[in-house]
Amino acid sequence: MFEIIPVRAFSDNYIWTLIKDDEVTVVDPGDSGPVKEFLKDKALNLKNILITHHHFDHTGGIEDLSRNFNCTVYGPKGDHINGIDKTLVEGDRFEISNVTFNVLATPGHTLDHLSFFTNNSQPLLFSGDTLFFGGCGRLFEGTPEQMFQSLSKLSMLSKETQVFCGHEYTESNLNFAAEVEPLNQELNNQLNEVRNLRKEDQITLPSSIAMELSVNPFMRCEENDVIMAAQEYSKREVSQPDEVLEVIRNWKDNF
Ligand code: ZN
Ligand code: FE
């Protein structure tokens, strides 16, 4: 089992640190400073870095960490990110501390976006800026169709999978979700809990696939209430799930 600890960076990024048998892995170190501080506090060395996509708030610390530690950097294929040692594509697998990590291509937010899934005794998903608690990443590079396919892929993972995403966006995501589905009781309960946590500046993560399936409108594009809300907002007939996603993504961008 990994011990998983969030390290905060910038205003709302989380750099997830995984610790097992003195081996430390970090996911998306946008800033090296807080990671170095964390490692110093724990008297640990960094062994691996996992990168989900090319945005600076997820990659900015690679160079400095690689200079300071003898670590391996795993990340998307292409020469667009400096410092990647092992390039990955859909279907690849690699081992860290005897745990197999599966690579899922999840384009939409960016075209290079990967998510990492482990399914040993402890199913874990590191979803970067694709799947957030209650939301999904903005479509900077990909199409609504690509994001829909990516989220569908994630929706098929086992329900108890814990979901570790890249940002603390939960409260604003659930505020929006409640606008889309005001009658979703589980969503309203979750929103209350999340508001209480955020009042104390506490983390709301991880989430789970089961939770996302019941509260996240972007994971619910085939649910009648979400389809109806998308139609009402766009004032037209919306039938395909990727069109539903397009409408609510647009709605969220203007919310
Ligand atoms: Zn991003
Ligand atoms: Fe980000």
Side-chain angles (χ1 to χ4, degrees):
M1 298 280 267
F2 286 109
E3 183 187 357
I4 304 175
I5 304 171
V7 169
R8 290 180 190 220
F10 309 116
S11 59
D12 50 33
N13 280 75
Y14 288 120
I15 300 169
W16 293 104
T17 65
L18 289 67
I19 307 175
K20 192 184 173 199
D21 313 325
D22 278 4
E23 187 171 0
V24 183
T25 299
V26 296
V27 183
D28 286 351
D31 189 2
S32 62
V35 174
K36 288 199 287 192
E37 220 167 281
F38 173 87
L39 292 166
K40 199 175 160 199
D41 274 1
K42 299 244 168 198
L44 290 168
N45 281 311
L46 184 62
K47 275 282 191 54
N48 309 287
I49 298 177
L50 310 188
I51 299 295
T52 61
H53 68 294
H54 69 85
H55 285 160
F56 186 75
D57 62 311
H58 300 252
T59 57
I62 296 175
E63 229 184 317
D64 187 42
L65 291 173
S66 298
R67 217 179 299 121
N68 283 276
F69 299 97
N70 184 14
C71 59
T72 306
V73 186
Y74 297 82
K77 194 182 156 196
D79 292 324
H80 59 302
I81 305 171
N82 285 334
I84 303 281
D85 303 310
K86 306 237 173 184
T87 61
L88 304 168
V89 295
E90 166 78 28
D92 281 347
R93 287 155 184 238
F94 56 93
E95 294 239 325
I96 288 176
S97 313
N98 296 316
V99 173
T100 304
F101 284 73
N102 300 280
V103 178
L104 304 170
T106 49
H109 175 67
T110 61
L111 292 176
D112 67 347
H113 202 296
L114 304 176
S115 298
F116 301 104
F117 174 64
T118 76
N119 197 15
N120 293 54
S121 56
Q122 187 191 18
L124 308 171
L125 174 70
F126 295 91
S127 59
D129 287 359
T130 295
L131 174 62
F132 293 123
F133 188 168
C136 74
R138 273 177 195 262
L139 302 180
F140 285 117
E141 297 174 8
T143 63
E145 160 80 26
Q146 282 175 314
M147 182 57 94
F148 175 72
Q149 293 303 339
S150 296
L151 294 179
S152 299
K153 205 183 272 185
L154 301 183
S155 74
M156 287 181 289
L157 300 177
S158 61
K159 295 221 166 60
E160 72 273 20
T161 304
Q162 289 184 284
V163 180
F164 298 85
C165 62
H167 291 268
E168 180 60 67
Y169 290 160
T170 313
E171 188 173 6
S172 74
N173 285 339
L174 293 185
N175 277 325
F176 173 72
E179 186 83 5
V180 177
E181 285 191 276
L183 303 178
N184 181 332
Q185 202 43 57
E186 191 167 355
L187 165 56
N188 289 318
N189 295 341
Q190 244 344 277
L191 178 54
N192 275 332
E193 232 166 88
V194 162
R195 279 178 179 155
N196 288 331
L197 286 171
R198 294 308 297 152
K199 254 184 250 155
E200 317 277 313
D201 194 29
Q202 290 200 50
I203 185 168
T204 62
L205 307 175
S207 162
S208 68
I209 292 296
M211 175 64 74
E212 297 307 330
L213 289 173
S214 52
V215 307
N216 187 332
F218 298 94
M219 293 282 266
R220 295 167 59 78
C221 292
E222 286 161 295
E223 293 290 327
N224 211 36
D225 283 5
V226 177
I227 298 169
M228 298 307 279
Q231 296 197 143
E232 227 165 272
Y233 178 79
S234 65
K235 302 194 170 54
R236 63 183 170 92
E237 179 150 349
V238 183
S239 52
Q240 297 306 312
D242 58 314
E243 289 180 286
V244 173
L245 188 143
E246 181 168 24
V247 170
I248 59 173
R249 185 59 262 182
N250 233 319
W251 183 359
K252 173 80 167 48
D253 289 346
N254 296 295
F255 183 66

